[in-house]
Amino acid sequence: MSQPEVEPRAPDLDAPVHRPVTRHAATTPAGTLADRLGRHLVLYGVGLVVLQLAFRAWALAGSWFYFDDIAFMSRAMNRPLDASYLLESYGGHLMPGGFLVARLLTDVAAYQWAPWAAVLLGLQALAGLGMLRLLLSLFGRRPVVLALLAGYLAYVFTLSAGIWFAAGINQLPMQVALVFGLHAHVEYLRHRRLRSLAAAVVWTIAGLAFYEKTLLLLGIYLIVGFAWFATGSTPDRVKHLWSRYRAGVLVYGALGIGYLALYVHYGLDFSPGNAQTQPLSPIIYNLVGTTLLPGLVGGPLRWQPLTVGAFGWPNQAVVLVSWVAFVALAVTAQRTRTISKRAWSLLAFSSACNVVLLASARANVVGPDIAREYRYQTESAALFVLGVGLAFLPLRGAPEQNTLREPAQEPEQPAWADNPNVVAAISVAIVCAALLSSLRYVDLWQSNNPSKAYFANVERTLAAADHKPVPLVDIGIPQTLLWSYRFPENTYSHVFRNLDDETWFPRSSVDRLYVFDDQGRLSPVSIPSTRASQPHPGCGYRLTGGTTTIPLDGPVIGGGWWLRVSYVSPEPVDLHLTAGEEEHDLSLPEGLHNVFVQAAGEFDQVELSGYPPRTRLCVNALTLGLPAPTPFVS
């Protein structure tokens, strides 16, 4: 008598899968647990997202503006809201959406961190909920979805971008576009509904408005369609995509070509050919071997501190464990599933793109260690958990289904990846390790950021000043807060535009002139001597004739100089001072005073003219230099 055929079931990570499904399978403890988790899976998933948001809220509460954040506000306060403002390339980034958000936040909350942090938190919430929705759509209501979601939420890949606005306003919209755009794209592949295609395009364009790297989504869409929704040989798959999804191919192609043209015109400020001049091996090793793989097992656990933030710096044990774990995962999938190898193509594609992008841009400036910065591969967390799901589970609605390999003989025990207790234990261990890595990173970020204390001192000491508005030299804030290559965005007049009622920036000033020291405290200016007036007998240089020339002890060239002219006069005097290209009409009060004036150009003497014929004003000393704070005495 022939035995009835057993209907093959979809592979499941949540229960042993090498035995036929029977009516009693659901009564096993594992089945009962799976049923309970399945019934409340969405609620548990939302709970995981809420827990991640609680952690991020704590991390954001101790964060503040830093570096590019200050430049964003400076731009927003000093430039009109027009196309040139929105479409300016910023370090190779084309980010009109980010600049628009920065402008709106600056208008209502300049240097008020809470609203800016709320935007980051909202974007992270949207990305987390979108990932839960995507996983459920791809794999159904399986408890393993919770393990995949927990990994995505806990990994450190999105952490640095999640607590630094300048990075987050690029990276988090891309995360949102990835999870919602891929969901819409898979729906289009399943049903060929044009509204799903339109939704995928809208999400992709929204991501591109914030970050040019969102263009990688088009490659991800292609890989998913080619690997799971087409069949046969490579030519057959290409023909299948063209015949069945022609509208998508044309629309995605037009979007990619159109955006590349836009980016090359507005955003490209580096040569992609530089990737050929930068050795790829150290970048690949740093990005994959010491950053990506350790991050996937909860690392890096150890960080190399920077001025603010840190590079991943795992020890050799963590690196070795991560490599072995990834190989074990891939081998187990290959031995137990029919089409697992293609699942890693998404992560491999993005990693290869990251290597090329870093080699052609950032690595040329700061070296291959930049590949140990996790914010350059934030998408890796999402693509890895999707890869794990695709390696072990069938993709719902796809013509190509990932099923269990038929074993040569009945195994005594199922593979470890099919044991729900083992999967749960591994998930918990990875989440705990990732939490430890995250805590250590957040501590470095919160402890080393000097911006908040600096700006607090600026506001406090300005408020305590005796005379308002306070005359300031318009120099740059410290390099630890914003590099001078962002000139003029780094200057006092731009950065402190919101304090216009308390400050002004004269070209000349008598006695009173100030700068801020490196801690942000208001300080009388000092002029360290780069050049000085040549010695002169008597009181110094007494004004005689129509013009008095004061020679310097050496030539001067360039800009940014200030002169301190010390003089004594028994009566007020109006005169004209020329220092290179700078000319000043001065009204000098009687008595012993210092007058500070700007100087620039190429010159070796200072001329005084236009004064009354019988003035008795005498210049005691003249010093030229770059303004600096007077040393603070506690």
Side-chain angles (χ1 to χ4, degrees):
M1 179 182 245
S2 61
Q3 296 294 325
E5 292 184 356
V6 178
E7 181 181 353
R9 61 172 177 156
D12 192 341
L13 288 181
D14 308 309
V17 294
H18 294 294
R19 295 174 174 81
V21 177
T22 69
R23 184 174 301 178
H24 303 289
T27 64
T28 65
T32 303
L33 176 61
D35 288 342
R36 286 203 304 268
L37 289 176
R39 285 194 298 269
H40 304 289
L41 192 143
V42 174
L43 181 62
Y44 293 144
V46 172
L48 290 176
V49 174
V50 171
L51 287 176
Q52 187 223 25
L53 294 177
F55 177 84
R56 289 292 177 90
W58 166 78
L60 283 164
S63 184
W64 210 70
F65 303 104
Y66 175 65
F67 219 78
D68 297 297
D69 300 339
I70 299 170
F72 286 2
M73 279 185 283
S74 179
R75 293 179 77 253
M77 289 188 289
N78 292 278
R79 295 181 55 177
L81 181 57
D82 55 17
S84 64
Y85 167 81
L86 294 174
L87 296 175
E88 179 185 358
S89 175
Y90 188 94
H93 296 312
L94 185 60
M95 46 179 293
F99 283 150
L100 180 60
V101 171
R103 177 58 178 262
L104 297 175
L105 287 171
T106 301
D107 287 346
V108 299
Y111 298 107
Q112 299 176 40
W113 176 240
W116 300 68
V119 169
L120 296 182
L121 201 62
L123 289 170
Q124 186 61 65
L126 196 57
L129 293 173
M131 176 56 79
L132 172 60
R133 177 172 178 255
L134 176 61
L135 291 171
L136 291 172
S137 173
L138 297 181
F139 309 121
R141 287 176 176 259
R142 300 169 178 269
V144 73
V145 163
L146 295 178
L148 297 175
L149 178 65
Y152 169 73
L153 297 174
Y155 284 142
V156 299
F157 292 92
T158 63
L159 178 61
S160 59
I163 59 178
W164 181 16
F165 183 85
I169 203 61
N170 293 143
Q171 306 277 1
L172 293 178
M174 183 182 73
Q175 293 284 312
V176 173
L178 191 160
V179 294
F180 284 95
L182 185 56
H183 178 276
H185 174 66
V186 171
E187 286 296 299
Y188 167 66
L189 294 175
R190 286 168 175 159
H191 308 295
R192 291 198 300 169
R193 288 194 291 255
L194 292 182
R195 68 172 181 266
S196 297
L197 174 60
V201 170
V202 168
W203 282 112
T204 306
I205 292 175
L208 288 170
F210 290 86
Y211 193 24
E212 66 284 347
K213 192 178 170 183
T214 306
L215 196 63
L216 298 187
L217 264 61
L218 298 182
I220 292 170
Y221 297 164
L222 174 62
I223 292 171
V224 171
F226 183 87
W228 284 275
F229 286 86
T231 58
S233 64
T234 296
D236 291 337
R237 290 174 185 268
V238 173
K239 292 176 183 177
H240 181 84
L241 289 179
W242 176 249
S243 62
R244 184 169 176 80
Y245 303 110
R246 186 171 305 171
V249 171
L250 293 174
V251 170
Y252 290 144
L255 174 59
I257 293 171
Y259 182 81
L260 277 176
L262 184 71
Y263 178 76
V264 168
H265 181 73
Y266 288 104
L268 186 64
D269 61 0
F270 60 91
S271 174
N274 288 340
Q276 299 177 359
T277 63
Q278 183 68 224
L280 294 181
S281 55
I283 298 175
I284 294 172
Y285 180 80
N286 283 335
L287 188 137
V288 178
T290 65
T291 305
L292 173 61
L293 295 181
L296 298 179
V297 296
L301 295 179
R302 190 177 66 164
W303 300 92
Q304 180 182 0
L306 305 174
T307 303
V308 176
F311 283 163
W313 196 27
N315 60 39
Q316 290 302 308
V318 173
V319 172
L320 180 60
V321 167
S322 70
W323 294 3
V324 171
F326 184 80
V327 170
L329 183 70
V331 169
T332 299
Q334 168 63 15
R335 292 180 61 185
T336 61
R337 268 64 178 179
T338 55
I339 56 170
S340 68
K341 288 189 292 186
R342 67 188 69 179
W344 313 115
S345 58
L346 301 176
L347 185 61
F349 167 72
S350 70
S351 297
C353 292
N354 288 333
V355 168
V356 173
L357 289 172
L358 287 174
S360 60
R362 297 292 188 265
N364 282 319
V365 179
V366 296
D369 276 348
I370 193 65
R372 294 191 287 122
E373 167 60 80
Y374 275 95
R375 65 186 171 89
Y376 292 115
Q377 51 172 320
T378 53
E379 73 284 354
S380 295
L383 297 180
F384 174 70
V385 299
L386 293 175
V388 172
L390 292 168
F392 287 93
L393 300 172
L395 174 55
R396 298 171 65 214
E400 296 249 338
Q401 288 289 308
N402 189 21
T403 59
L404 286 170
R405 291 185 185 275
E406 290 296 331
Q409 58 185 11
E410 187 74 8
E412 295 182 4
Q413 294 293 334
W416 61 265
D418 298 311
N419 186 320
N421 295 326
V422 173
V423 172
I426 292 174
S427 301
V428 170
I430 289 176
V431 168
C432 290
L435 179 60
L436 179 59
S437 296
S438 298
L439 287 170
R440 289 174 173 173
Y441 182 89
V442 171
D443 178 63
L444 290 170
W445 179 268
Q446 294 178 344
S447 301
N448 295 339
N449 188 349
S451 303
K452 186 175 183 179
Y454 179 89
F455 280 83
N457 283 334
V458 167
E459 293 189 3
R460 177 181 58 81
T461 54
L462 276 179
D466 295 332
H467 302 285
K468 302 285 182 64
V470 176
L472 292 171
V473 180
D474 194 16
I475 58 176
I477 62 176
Q479 296 274 346
T480 53
L481 304 183
L482 183 61
W483 286 344
S484 58
Y485 85 90
R486 293 305 313 178
F487 179 87
E489 292 162 10
N490 67 314
T491 58
Y492 290 174
S493 61
H494 284 62
V495 172
F496 303 133
R497 177 69 69 183
N498 61 315
L499 302 174
D500 271 355
D501 57 338
E502 297 183 75
T503 61
W504 69 300
F505 301 93
R507 296 178 58 247
S508 63
S509 182
V510 178
D511 292 332
R512 297 179 61 250
L513 189 64
Y514 297 88
V515 294
F516 297 105
D517 66 14
D518 287 346
Q519 285 71 49
R521 298 170 297 192
L522 192 65
S523 169
V525 72
S526 67
I527 308 295
S529 179
T530 301
R531 294 287 184 263
S533 56
Q534 294 185 5
H536 199 273
C539 73
Y541 290 88
R542 188 177 297 279
L543 302 191
T544 58
T547 300
T548 299
T549 299
I550 303 177
L552 302 176
D553 59 5
V556 178
I557 189 170
W561 305 106
W562 278 75
L563 283 166
R564 182 183 65 233
V565 182
S566 301
Y567 74 91
V568 60
S569 177
E571 69 278 327
V573 176
D574 293 337
L575 56 79
H576 184 81
L577 184 150
T578 301
E581 299 171 357
E582 294 282 352
E583 299 188 17
H584 305 271
D585 291 313
L586 304 174
S587 295
L588 304 181
E590 63 178 287
L592 181 64
H593 297 279
N594 291 308
V595 57
F596 299 93
V597 298
Q598 288 181 326
E602 188 173 353
F603 60 99
D604 59 6
Q605 62 184 22
V606 175
E607 292 183 356
L608 304 176
S609 61
Y611 43 80
R614 287 181 293 276
T615 181
R616 291 176 290 171
L617 185 147
C618 184
V619 175
N620 308 118
L622 186 150
T623 303
L624 177 141
L626 297 175
T630 300
F632 180 77
V633 179
S634 59

